[in-house]
Each structure stands twice: as C-alpha cells, then as structure tokens.
Amino acid sequence: MSNKIFIITVFISNIAFGSVLPKIDLQRVVNTKSTNKLTTKISTQLFNRGLEKHIAKAKVKNSLMHDDELNAIMAHNIVKTLKTVNEKDIVDFLAQSALRGKKVDLSSYSTLIALVQKSSQALLDKETLFHIEKVSLENESLKAMRVVS
C-alpha cells in the first residue's frame, strides 16, 4: 500500500512541478553590433567596389535567403568545421553572389561546394566532401530549429 502511495505522489509531483521548470532558450552566438554583422561586411565590400550604400544593402538583402542571425550562425558553423574556409572567403563569395543577383542558401550542399572550390584551389577529397555534407546537414537543422516570431 505504501509503494502505491509513493508512486502516486511521485507521479503527481512530476506533473505539478514539470510545468514550473523554466524553458531553456538557445543562446545566441552572434554579436549584433552593426559593424560585425555579416550583411554589413558584405555590403561594405560592395560599397568599396563602387556601389552606392543603399544599392549594396538592397542587393545583399535580396541575395541572402535567411535573416541576419541565421546566416551569421551558418557562416560561423562553416568556418568552424571547414578549415580551408575563413570568414573573408565567405564574405567574398556572398558579395560576388549579391553582385550577380544570385540567391544564396548557406545550408545548400551545392553552395558549400562552390564556396570551398572558390576559396581553395585544391581538389576536393572524400574527407572534405564529408565535412561539407556535415556542415550542410547541420545548417539545414539550424533552419528547422529556427522559430518564427
């Protein structure tokens, strides 16, 4: 009899206190200062190439498929996993794509292949392709986890 009371007490307390636990919010990795934003770096590079500021910003906004924070997290993920690519390579690649009016998705496998090929002149081996696929899948999961507010 005491075992049943104990089990029922534990069950009820789990139900009661389970709803009180705080929700864990994902910590943002991105510094939101305007000078450190990925889009700002891209538009600044386009401005330095001769475009007017408002046109450069519009081209970057139309080129990137996701919001600033998600693109910055994806770019950070790429730099962290693919050792042959650095942030400057990503900014150059995205600036070139924006200049051409091409849509860019940093979770796309083909986009990552093009980025790596542009940043390093070496042939892609199996290990590099594996890492590219891994980054692509991780960035896809980041898109899926993104909550629209």
Side-chain angles (χ1 to χ4, degrees), residues 49-101:
R49 289 184 180 180
L51 286 179
E52 293 181 23
K53 279 194 181 212
H54 68 279
I55 294 174
K57 286 181 181 180
K59 283 192 169 286
V60 171
K61 183 180 177 187
N62 292 334
S63 177
L64 295 174
M65 295 183 77
H66 307 290
D67 62 2
D68 291 344
E69 291 87 14
L70 186 57
N71 282 320
I73 291 170
M74 287 182 182
H76 176 74
N77 196 21
I78 292 168
V79 170
K80 180 183 70 170
T81 307
L82 302 173
K83 301 302 180 198
T84 59
V85 178
N86 59 31
E87 186 182 24
K88 183 185 179 313
D89 296 330
I90 294 174
V91 170
D92 291 343
F93 180 80
L94 294 175
Q96 193 71 356
S97 298
L99 196 58
R100 293 181 178 153

Side-chain angles (χ1 to χ4, degrees), residues 2-18:
S2 65
N3 281 343
K4 287 182 183 180
I5 294 173
F6 178 72
I7 291 173
I8 291 171
T9 307
V10 170
F11 180 70
I12 291 174
S13 63
N14 281 339
I15 291 172
F17 294 118

